[in-house]
Amino acid sequence: MSEGVSKTHEKARKFQAIKGVRDIQPPETELWNRVEQTAREVFGTYGYGEIRLPVFEQTELFARSIGADTDVVSKEMYSFQDRDETGVSLRPEATASVCRAYIEHGMQTLPQPVKLYYTGPMFRRERPQKGRYRQFYQIGAEVLGGSDAPAVDAEVIEMLMVFFAKVGLDGATLYVNSIGCKDCRAKYVELLRAELRIVQGRLGADSQRRIETNPLRVLDSKLESEQSIIEKLPRIAEHLCLECAKNYADVKRELALRKIAYQENWRLVRGLDYYMRTTFEITAPGLGSQNAVCGGGRYDGLVELLGGPPTKGIGFAIGEDRLILSLQESGQGKAERGLDVFIAWMGEAAYATAVRAARTLRNAGVSVELPPAAQKFGKALGQADKLGARFALILGEDEVASGQWTVKTLADGTQKKMSQQELLAVLGRR
Ligand code: AMP
């Protein structure tokens, strides 16, 4: 049997989205757009401009910036050889790309600092669960160049909290920490490693491995059996050098000045290698164990590490999927905008009027559904109801002849005659 024949007999195969990725559909997309629009507005008021970045980059960019020993790079990237043998990866985050762009376009010659934000999908091959996907979306911002004054850190955090408040997120908690600089952190990491070796036998496999590869990450552990052990480990706040300790105190003073409530969390170390000094995380309710909606921090050495001039840097990434989930859980995620007008028409003459009315109303920003074929009024009104329309515009021979349209308010079933002008005025007032 030839392939062609067997194919015609085979039932058409149904496709499904790949595990860990999903479609985001209307009406939910409306909430996504509102969140993104709010970010644009708020970030704009703080002087940030949007950068649109490629979705894939050379694998080496991520390996060098995020760190080859991190889970993200060693286990979670979608990497492949391009046809010209270049190793490329789907971006697992965007800070590296922003720094690459800063260097590539010589942005250090612009007035400093350069403030940029981005939105878009990121890709990590993690175990899918609620609030954790393999394609997920981040809204992030970076401040590159200029000063590393504590006020810069505090203003970034202030902007974030303003954004979360504007978007309607209730119960967000801000956690802050300082993880020191190259010098004091390196000493602390060695101390931590030594202490961890002593308790090694009581730790899980992941933490045991991290003692050698990335001891700070042990502090991130959520494993119940490790909690009492971790609580007794030395804390970085007690091992910061003088400048880092002063810097951390100043950042907290700047937050207090801005009346930003925060909690200190000495175990907040962030998963990626490039952070230093200020780190922060924001959690939101309704998300179970994946409750971090935003992570960020200072990364002064990163631009240099990627071949650029010494450059200060600080930024954050908001997990948009989780933010949306939390908004929905708290009942804030209702789509606000439904259908305004459904046009129920009958007859040739009414159809011509309906087409013109639909265009005029849409032009005025009113959303309109115009059925493409004639229907009995009863059926049309049923459909208007199903679509959740606020008004049905009933156009028959009489209405067209008189120019007085019948407008039915679907919520209470009342009907009124009005002209197109009056209808526009009614809708405009809403
Ligand atoms: P990170 O880039 O790891 O600092 O993450 C910043 C934020 O992105 C986190 O706080 C999460 O809200 C979000 N995020 C990270 N990984 C995922 C994922 N796999 N699925 C959904 N959101 C994620």
Side-chain angles (χ1 to χ4, degrees):
M1 202 165 40
S2 79
E3 206 190 336
V5 175
S6 76
K7 277 238 172 95
T8 42
H9 288 286
E10 205 182 291
K11 236 182 140 207
R13 184 177 156 217
K14 283 201 193 121
F15 291 99
Q16 283 184 332
I18 286 167
K19 189 175 171 203
V21 314
R22 66 206 176 115
D23 303 304
I24 299 158
Q25 308 164 65
E28 193 183 312
T29 34
E30 232 174 84
L31 179 57
W32 285 72
N33 283 329
R34 179 165 73 78
V35 162
E36 287 160 21
Q37 186 52 31
T38 306
R40 290 177 198 290
E41 284 166 17
V42 172
F43 298 177
T45 62
Y46 282 81
Y48 288 69
E50 181 180 7
I51 183 163
R52 300 207 179 191
L53 300 157
V55 162
F56 59 96
E57 298 264 9
Q58 287 181 41
T59 299
E60 182 56 24
L61 173 70
F62 302 118
R64 188 151 4 133
S65 59
I66 300 170
D69 286 338
T70 56
D71 286 353
V72 170
V73 170
S74 66
K75 299 197 287 211
E76 295 169 0
M77 282 207 298
Y78 286 95
S79 302
F80 55 97
Q81 295 284 114
D82 204 348
R83 284 168 201 267
D84 67 359
E85 304 292 301
T86 318
V88 295
S89 294
L90 299 184
R91 60 181 185 191
E93 55 102 56
T95 301
S97 301
V98 175
C99 291
R100 194 246 330 119
Y102 180 89
I103 300 165
E104 187 172 338
H105 305 297
M107 291 189 208
Q108 69 271 16
T109 61
L110 301 174
Q112 304 292 298
V114 175
K115 302 186 202 174
L116 298 167
Y117 75 87
Y118 60 83
T119 69
M122 309 293 155
F123 306 85
R124 295 182 199 172
R125 201 174 192 291
E126 294 187 275
R127 193 170 57 76
Q129 62 187 90
K130 182 182 173 189
R132 189 193 273 168
Y133 312 97
R134 291 179 171 177
Q135 174 173 338
F136 59 99
Y137 295 79
Q138 286 186 337
I139 301 175
E142 319 286 351
V143 181
L144 290 167
S147 153
D148 65 350
V152 176
D153 304 37
E155 192 183 83
V156 164
I157 293 172
E158 176 191 302
M159 179 173 88
L160 258 173
M161 300 318 277
V162 167
F163 163 74
F164 281 126
K166 281 233 162 106
V167 104
L169 182 73
D170 290 328
T173 310
L174 166 68
Y175 295 95
V176 299
N177 190 24
S178 172
I179 54 169
C181 60
K182 272 201 312 287
D183 302 331
C184 58
R185 185 174 36 163
K187 284 187 199 137
Y188 170 72
V189 167
E190 274 324 305
L191 174 69
L192 187 63
R193 184 175 273 138
E195 292 292 322
L196 284 168
R197 281 187 184 134
I198 299 170
V199 294
Q200 184 160 13
R202 291 156 56 206
L203 297 174
D206 278 344
S207 292
Q208 292 206 5
R209 186 168 44 79
R210 287 179 178 143
I211 296 177
E212 300 315 317
T213 59
N214 198 346
L216 282 177
R217 286 299 309 281
V218 176
L219 305 181
D220 254 354
S221 161
K222 304 239 160 48
L223 210 64
E224 202 41 56
S225 60
E226 295 181 341
Q227 300 309 308
S228 60
I229 305 166
I230 292 171
E231 281 304 312
K232 291 189 205 96
L233 291 170
R235 304 186 170 201
I236 188 147
E238 284 136 35
H239 299 273
L240 294 176
C241 64
L242 277 179
E243 285 105 284
C244 285
K246 177 173 185 315
N247 177 269
Y248 187 33
D250 288 346
V251 169
K252 288 185 282 184
R253 197 171 38 76
E254 284 279 350
L255 289 175
L257 178 72
R258 291 168 164 77
K259 306 232 179 313
I260 296 169
Y262 62 89
Q263 289 182 30
E264 290 182 70
N265 178 1
W266 71 277
R267 287 173 59 177
L268 184 64
V269 292
R270 316 279 319 127
L272 317 180
D273 267 0
Y274 49 63
Y275 288 107
M276 60 174 289
R277 287 196 169 166
T278 309
T279 56
F280 52 92
E281 185 168 276
I282 293 159
T283 61
L287 295 172
S289 59
Q290 305 302 316
N291 65 350
V293 285
C294 175
R298 177 162 285 287
Y299 51 82
D300 291 349
L302 183 55
V303 169
E304 203 174 353
L305 183 71
L306 296 176
T311 307
K312 309 292 181 196
I314 183 166
F316 61 79
I318 297 163
E320 197 177 355
D321 309 73
R322 293 184 194 175
L323 172 57
I324 300 272
L325 267 175
S326 185
L327 291 172
Q328 288 169 333
E329 300 263 328
S330 68
Q332 311 234 10
K334 300 270 181 305
E336 280 146 26
R337 191 178 170 141
L339 177 61
D340 296 318
V341 176
F342 185 96
I343 305 186
W345 59 270
M346 263 218 315
E348 284 284 305
Y351 180 60
T353 305
V355 168
R356 282 198 301 276
R359 165 116 38 128
T360 308
L361 289 169
R362 285 171 176 153
N363 204 18
V366 176
S367 65
V368 176
E369 200 56 42
L370 174 66
Q375 288 171 315
K376 295 242 161 63
F377 282 130
K379 191 166 175 218
L381 290 173
Q383 209 191 340
D385 232 7
K386 263 193 222 143
L387 291 174
R390 280 197 273 277
F391 299 101
L393 172 55
I394 299 170
L395 292 179
E397 309 289 321
D398 290 354
E399 281 82 2
V400 173
S402 68
Q404 285 293 305
W405 299 350
T406 304
V407 177
K408 179 169 177 156
T409 306
L410 287 155
D412 58 13
T414 55
Q415 263 181 221
K416 242 178 115 176
K417 293 257 182 202
M418 57 177 90
S419 67
Q420 181 173 323
Q421 277 318 316
E422 286 166 327
L423 175 62
L424 279 175
V426 167
L427 291 166
R429 269 205 302 278
R430 293 184 61 82

mmCIF file of all heavy atoms in Angstrom, residues 157-158 161 172-176 252 255-264 281-282:
data_model
loop_
_atom_site.group_PDB
_atom_site.id
_atom_site.type_symbol
_atom_site.label_atom_id
_atom_site.label_comp_id
_atom_site.label_asym_id
_atom_site.label_seq_id
_atom_site.Cartn_x
_atom_site.Cartn_y
_atom_site.Cartn_z
ATOM 1 N N ILE A 157 12.958 49.762 43.244
ATOM 2 C CA ILE A 157 11.985 49.019 44.061
ATOM 3 C C ILE A 157 10.691 49.817 44.211
ATOM 4 O O ILE A 157 9.595 49.270 44.122
ATOM 5 C CB ILE A 157 12.616 48.662 45.428
ATOM 6 C CG1 ILE A 157 13.761 47.661 45.211
ATOM 7 C CG2 ILE A 157 11.564 48.096 46.379
ATOM 8 C CD1 ILE A 157 14.594 47.357 46.457
ATOM 9 N N GLU A 158 10.837 51.135 44.384
ATOM 10 C CA GLU A 158 9.641 51.985 44.476
ATOM 11 C C GLU A 158 8.784 51.845 43.214
ATOM 12 O O GLU A 158 7.563 51.657 43.288
ATOM 13 C CB GLU A 158 10.057 53.457 44.659
ATOM 14 C CG GLU A 158 8.874 54.413 44.654
ATOM 15 C CD GLU A 158 9.304 55.877 44.576
ATOM 16 O OE1 GLU A 158 10.056 56.330 45.455
ATOM 17 O OE2 GLU A 158 8.880 56.555 43.627
ATOM 18 N N MET A 161 6.838 48.636 43.243
ATOM 19 C CA MET A 161 5.714 48.608 44.180
ATOM 20 C C MET A 161 4.568 49.482 43.654
ATOM 21 O O MET A 161 3.402 49.156 43.844
ATOM 22 C CB MET A 161 6.157 49.041 45.584
ATOM 23 C CG MET A 161 7.243 48.164 46.211
ATOM 24 S SD MET A 161 7.055 46.373 45.978
ATOM 25 C CE MET A 161 5.930 45.953 47.291
ATOM 26 N N ALA A 172 1.075 41.871 48.320
ATOM 27 C CA ALA A 172 2.450 41.645 47.864
ATOM 28 C C ALA A 172 3.410 41.902 49.023
ATOM 29 O O ALA A 172 3.222 42.845 49.789
ATOM 30 C CB ALA A 172 2.787 42.581 46.704
ATOM 31 N N THR A 173 4.408 41.043 49.187
ATOM 32 C CA THR A 173 5.407 41.248 50.236
ATOM 33 C C THR A 173 6.776 41.396 49.591
ATOM 34 O O THR A 173 7.166 40.587 48.745
ATOM 35 C CB THR A 173 5.447 40.039 51.196
ATOM 36 O OG1 THR A 173 4.119 39.753 51.618
ATOM 37 C CG2 THR A 173 6.317 40.330 52.410
ATOM 38 N N LEU A 174 7.469 42.447 50.007
ATOM 39 C CA LEU A 174 8.816 42.706 49.475
ATOM 40 C C LEU A 174 9.860 42.176 50.452
ATOM 41 O O LEU A 174 9.826 42.511 51.636
ATOM 42 C CB LEU A 174 8.982 44.222 49.290
ATOM 43 C CG LEU A 174 10.405 44.749 49.065
ATOM 44 C CD1 LEU A 174 10.947 44.298 47.712
ATOM 45 C CD2 LEU A 174 10.411 46.286 49.159
ATOM 46 N N TYR A 175 10.754 41.354 49.952
ATOM 47 C CA TYR A 175 11.877 40.859 50.755
ATOM 48 C C TYR A 175 13.169 41.439 50.199
ATOM 49 O O TYR A 175 13.338 41.498 48.975
ATOM 50 C CB TYR A 175 11.959 39.330 50.683
ATOM 51 C CG TYR A 175 10.774 38.650 51.301
ATOM 52 C CD1 TYR A 175 9.701 38.264 50.517
ATOM 53 C CD2 TYR A 175 10.711 38.412 52.670
ATOM 54 C CE1 TYR A 175 8.584 37.652 51.082
ATOM 55 C CE2 TYR A 175 9.607 37.803 53.240
ATOM 56 C CZ TYR A 175 8.547 37.423 52.442
ATOM 57 O OH TYR A 175 7.451 36.828 53.008
ATOM 58 N N VAL A 176 14.046 41.876 51.082
ATOM 59 C CA VAL A 176 15.324 42.406 50.616
ATOM 60 C C VAL A 176 16.476 41.724 51.365
ATOM 61 O O VAL A 176 16.308 41.186 52.453
ATOM 62 C CB VAL A 176 15.440 43.943 50.804
ATOM 63 C CG1 VAL A 176 14.367 44.676 50.015
ATOM 64 C CG2 VAL A 176 15.359 44.321 52.270
ATOM 65 N N LYS A 252 18.247 50.478 52.930
ATOM 66 C CA LYS A 252 17.076 50.337 53.806
ATOM 67 C C LYS A 252 16.556 51.709 54.248
ATOM 68 O O LYS A 252 15.355 51.927 54.339
ATOM 69 C CB LYS A 252 17.426 49.459 55.020
ATOM 70 C CG LYS A 252 17.579 47.983 54.630
ATOM 71 C CD LYS A 252 17.796 47.081 55.825
ATOM 72 C CE LYS A 252 19.226 47.164 56.310
ATOM 73 N NZ LYS A 252 19.515 46.222 57.410
ATOM 74 N N LEU A 255 14.602 53.130 51.453
ATOM 75 C CA LEU A 255 13.277 52.498 51.341
ATOM 76 C C LEU A 255 12.336 53.109 52.371
ATOM 77 O O LEU A 255 11.171 53.411 52.072
ATOM 78 C CB LEU A 255 13.377 50.986 51.549
ATOM 79 C CG LEU A 255 14.047 50.187 50.419
ATOM 80 C CD1 LEU A 255 14.192 48.714 50.809
ATOM 81 C CD2 LEU A 255 13.266 50.312 49.105
ATOM 82 N N ALA A 256 12.872 53.314 53.577
ATOM 83 C CA ALA A 256 12.050 53.896 54.651
ATOM 84 C C ALA A 256 11.609 55.308 54.260
ATOM 85 O O ALA A 256 10.453 55.694 54.465
ATOM 86 C CB ALA A 256 12.830 53.910 55.957
ATOM 87 N N LEU A 257 12.535 56.067 53.669
ATOM 88 C CA LEU A 257 12.226 57.424 53.208
ATOM 89 C C LEU A 257 11.039 57.416 52.241
ATOM 90 O O LEU A 257 10.215 58.325 52.228
ATOM 91 C CB LEU A 257 13.469 57.984 52.504
ATOM 92 C CG LEU A 257 13.397 59.371 51.894
ATOM 93 C CD1 LEU A 257 13.370 60.419 52.997
ATOM 94 C CD2 LEU A 257 14.589 59.602 50.975
ATOM 95 N N ARG A 258 10.969 56.358 51.429
ATOM 96 C CA ARG A 258 9.892 56.237 50.444
ATOM 97 C C ARG A 258 8.674 55.518 51.006
ATOM 98 O O ARG A 258 7.749 55.198 50.273
ATOM 99 C CB ARG A 258 10.415 55.483 49.221
ATOM 100 C CG ARG A 258 11.432 56.269 48.423
ATOM 101 C CD ARG A 258 12.130 55.373 47.402
ATOM 102 N NE ARG A 258 12.816 56.169 46.393
ATOM 103 C CZ ARG A 258 13.984 56.782 46.582
ATOM 104 N NH1 ARG A 258 14.597 56.701 47.756
ATOM 105 N NH2 ARG A 258 14.536 57.487 45.609
ATOM 106 N N LYS A 259 8.691 55.237 52.307
ATOM 107 C CA LYS A 259 7.592 54.540 52.980
ATOM 108 C C LYS A 259 7.271 53.200 52.308
ATOM 109 O O LYS A 259 6.107 52.842 52.109
ATOM 110 C CB LYS A 259 6.341 55.424 53.033
ATOM 111 C CG LYS A 259 6.553 56.797 53.656
ATOM 112 C CD LYS A 259 5.531 57.052 54.739
ATOM 113 C CE LYS A 259 5.674 58.388 55.432
ATOM 114 N NZ LYS A 259 7.028 58.751 55.853
ATOM 115 N N ILE A 260 8.307 52.490 51.947
ATOM 116 C CA ILE A 260 8.116 51.172 51.334
ATOM 117 C C ILE A 260 8.335 50.110 52.405
ATOM 118 O O ILE A 260 9.410 50.037 53.006
ATOM 119 C CB ILE A 260 9.102 50.973 50.164
ATOM 120 C CG1 ILE A 260 8.789 51.990 49.062
ATOM 121 C CG2 ILE A 260 9.025 49.544 49.621
ATOM 122 C CD1 ILE A 260 9.835 52.069 47.986
ATOM 123 N N ALA A 261 7.291 49.331 52.645
ATOM 124 C CA ALA A 261 7.391 48.275 53.660
ATOM 125 C C ALA A 261 8.181 47.102 53.084
ATOM 126 O O ALA A 261 7.997 46.736 51.927
ATOM 127 C CB ALA A 261 5.998 47.815 54.060
ATOM 128 N N TYR A 262 9.087 46.545 53.892
ATOM 129 C CA TYR A 262 9.877 45.411 53.409
ATOM 130 C C TYR A 262 10.199 44.486 54.571
ATOM 131 O O TYR A 262 10.087 44.875 55.742
ATOM 132 C CB TYR A 262 11.190 45.894 52.770
ATOM 133 C CG TYR A 262 12.096 46.614 53.729
ATOM 134 C CD1 TYR A 262 13.039 45.906 54.491
ATOM 135 C CD2 TYR A 262 12.011 47.990 53.899
ATOM 136 C CE1 TYR A 262 13.858 46.573 55.393
ATOM 137 C CE2 TYR A 262 12.833 48.652 54.797
ATOM 138 C CZ TYR A 262 13.748 47.944 55.537
ATOM 139 O OH TYR A 262 14.551 48.574 56.442
ATOM 140 N N GLN A 263 10.578 43.280 54.228
ATOM 141 C CA GLN A 263 11.092 42.363 55.243
ATOM 142 C C GLN A 263 12.473 41.930 54.805
ATOM 143 O O GLN A 263 12.712 41.736 53.616
ATOM 144 C CB GLN A 263 10.191 41.128 55.347
ATOM 145 C CG GLN A 263 8.854 41.438 55.990
ATOM 146 C CD GLN A 263 8.001 40.183 56.120
ATOM 147 O OE1 GLN A 263 8.507 39.082 56.267
ATOM 148 N NE2 GLN A 263 6.693 40.382 56.054
ATOM 149 N N GLU A 264 13.360 41.771 55.781
ATOM 150 C CA GLU A 264 14.690 41.275 55.430
ATOM 151 C C GLU A 264 14.662 39.751 55.406
ATOM 152 O O GLU A 264 14.001 39.122 56.222
ATOM 153 C CB GLU A 264 15.711 41.765 56.446
ATOM 154 C CG GLU A 264 15.936 43.258 56.320
ATOM 155 C CD GLU A 264 16.974 43.743 57.300
ATOM 156 O OE1 GLU A 264 18.156 43.412 57.103
ATOM 157 O OE2 GLU A 264 16.591 44.445 58.250
ATOM 158 N N GLU A 281 13.036 40.292 46.293
ATOM 159 C CA GLU A 281 12.041 39.385 45.731
ATOM 160 C C GLU A 281 10.683 39.838 46.232
ATOM 161 O O GLU A 281 10.572 40.351 47.342
ATOM 162 C CB GLU A 281 12.324 37.955 46.196
ATOM 163 C CG GLU A 281 11.432 36.908 45.572
ATOM 164 C CD GLU A 281 11.949 35.490 45.840
ATOM 165 O OE1 GLU A 281 12.824 35.040 45.093
ATOM 166 O OE2 GLU A 281 11.462 34.875 46.798
ATOM 167 N N ILE A 282 9.670 39.663 45.417
ATOM 168 C CA ILE A 282 8.318 40.021 45.838
ATOM 169 C C ILE A 282 7.445 38.782 45.710
ATOM 170 O O ILE A 282 7.488 38.102 44.673
ATOM 171 C CB ILE A 282 7.778 41.189 44.987
ATOM 172 C CG1 ILE A 282 8.608 42.435 45.304
ATOM 173 C CG2 ILE A 282 6.300 41.449 45.273
ATOM 174 C CD1 ILE A 282 8.583 43.498 44.266
#
